[in-house]
Amino acid sequence: MAGQHVGGITITHPEREVFGEGGPTKGDVAAYYEAVASHMLPELRGRPLSLVRCPQGTTGQCFFQKHHSDKLGEHVKAVTLMEKDGGEAEYIYVDDVAGVLELVQMNTLEFHPWGARADKPDQPDRLIFDLDPATGVAWKDIVAAAREIRDRLAEVKLESFVRTSGGKGLHVVAPFRRGPSWDAVKAFCEGIADAMVADKPQRYIAQASKAKREGLIFIDWLRNTRGATSVTGWSLRARPGAPVAMPVRWDEIARLKGGGAFDLKKALKRAKSADADPWADIATLKQSLP
Ligand code: ATP
Ligand code: MN
Ligand code: MN
């Protein structure tokens, strides 16, 4: 079987068009992740991880995988974690580009880490607000929602970061010193979401119920749960056009075309530019949840 070597990992079927006819191939996806790995790994490394794998490409059946298997590759690590039902299971994490590329060889397109690191899965170190607009909500209103969250976090001395989801919305992420429980973090985020709804019920909703969302932005605070994930910065999305979840600067978001503003090609270009690491400070920020 002819393979292509990318970063020391053999990628089989590199010619397979994984985003449909004429789109990026599996070889392009491997080359993409090799090129952006230095920007992506600071957020991804050492965290339990769910994958979206698409063995038949994005036009076929894709599936979420959270449990480890030895077949994934020798650089794909396992960590044993408690399950909701009290049992134990092996979860996936990676520390390096070889691990990422082995997962690409296994047809992974998307990377979704936890908000906690594998060594202390019960102590989150990141919170996230996932902004999910109903169809038809204007981009400027999504931008305003993200900025309002930024400002509310700033009021309690938490600096935050923003990324496009590669889909419809934006994610606002804030790092903090480990210590608070998942329940505490979740309650803190719920408090902010509820306050925003109380102020602007015509614009926001904080309940997961899909029925009531019409015309509103769902401020999804439920991602702040043990075992919940959100897509990592620089991850491709298994959607038409090969969009990318992209870390951006706060002063960039108003100018963007939407949550899918970046695709594989634009992301590759950005990876080589001065704009490549707008989240660089996230790793060194010393701040605590109030
Ligand atoms: P969009 O902007 O289109 O909403 P998104 O990535 O934010 O894109 P969501 O549906 O809001 O998509 O989901 C938020 C996060 O929850 C995802 O990034 C993913 O990590 C996780 N998630 C969503 N659906 C599933 C699922 N079926 N199984 C496991 N995790 C999921
Ligand atoms: Mn979302
Ligand atoms: Mn969501």
Side-chain angles (χ1 to χ4, degrees):
M1 196 162 28
Q4 179 183 323
H5 297 278
V6 181
I9 305 300
T10 304
I11 303 294
T12 57
H13 303 292
E15 74 294 339
R16 188 188 289 149
E17 293 176 329
V18 285
F19 288 91
E21 225 181 295
T25 63
K26 186 178 174 186
D28 293 334
V29 169
Y32 169 78
Y33 279 116
E34 187 191 28
V36 306
S38 67
H39 307 297
M40 182 169 85
L41 277 164
E43 185 182 355
L44 187 66
R45 90 162 36 101
R47 293 174 186 274
L49 197 58
S50 291
L51 315 169
V52 174
R53 292 175 59 194
C54 305
Q56 276 85 45
T58 57
T59 52
Q61 197 75 257
C62 299
F63 59 94
F64 262 95
Q65 176 171 353
K66 62 178 186 177
H67 291 140
H68 186 264
S69 124
D70 291 335
K71 283 180 251 147
L72 290 174
E74 60 176 308
H75 297 90
V76 180
K77 313 224 162 123
V79 56
T80 303
L81 301 179
M82 195 93 87
E83 295 271 66
K84 272 199 191 113
D85 63 11
E88 286 186 330
E90 293 204 316
Y91 282 72
I92 302 160
Y93 73 97
V94 294
D95 275 335
D96 52 27
V97 61
V100 169
L101 292 171
E102 283 174 346
L103 290 173
V104 171
Q105 162 56 14
M106 296 307 285
N107 303 302
T108 300
L109 289 178
E110 301 189 4
F111 295 84
H112 296 253
W114 288 28
R117 306 204 290 272
D119 61 332
K120 286 188 185 171
D122 297 315
Q123 291 188 14
D125 65 352
R126 300 244 161 126
L127 59 80
I128 178 163
F129 290 91
D130 160 30
L131 296 177
D132 289 332
T135 354
V137 173
W139 180 246
K140 69 169 176 32
D141 292 339
I142 304 168
V143 168
R147 286 181 177 155
E148 184 172 343
I149 291 171
R150 175 195 61 186
D151 294 347
R152 284 175 183 269
L153 290 170
E155 274 170 28
V156 293
K157 302 242 162 21
L158 286 173
E159 193 177 322
S160 58
F161 298 80
V162 64
R163 72 168 158 245
T164 63
S165 68
K168 292 192 293 179
L170 290 169
H171 294 171
V172 178
V173 174
F176 53 86
R177 271 193 205 86
R178 293 196 286 193
S181 67
W182 280 110
D183 281 348
V185 174
K186 191 178 186 176
F188 172 78
C189 292
E190 182 180 12
I192 289 183
D194 285 349
M196 289 174 66
V197 173
D199 272 9
K200 297 193 187 74
Q202 75 286 8
R203 209 171 251 198
Y204 304 135
I205 184 168
Q207 288 162 277
S209 110
K210 280 223 163 102
K212 299 181 199 156
R213 270 191 221 172
E214 207 179 321
L216 303 176
I217 298 170
F218 171 44
I219 304 168
D220 186 355
W221 50 275
L222 294 153
R223 305 279 100 226
N224 300 287
T225 307
R226 190 184 187 280
T229 60
S230 51
V231 71
T232 206
W234 297 93
S235 175
L236 289 163
R237 305 309 304 264
R239 303 180 190 189
V244 170
M246 183 59 78
V248 289
R249 292 190 318 270
W250 279 110
D251 65 7
E252 275 183 291
I253 52 176
R255 280 184 267 131
L256 298 176
K257 290 225 164 65
F262 292 90
D263 63 4
L264 185 151
K265 270 197 190 139
K266 290 191 178 123
L268 270 180
K269 222 169 159 190
R270 187 173 171 95
K272 292 186 213 121
S273 79
D275 287 331
D277 284 307
W279 286 29
D281 290 346
I282 202 169
T284 49
L285 261 188
K286 300 270 182 281
Q287 54 186 18
S288 301
L289 205 71

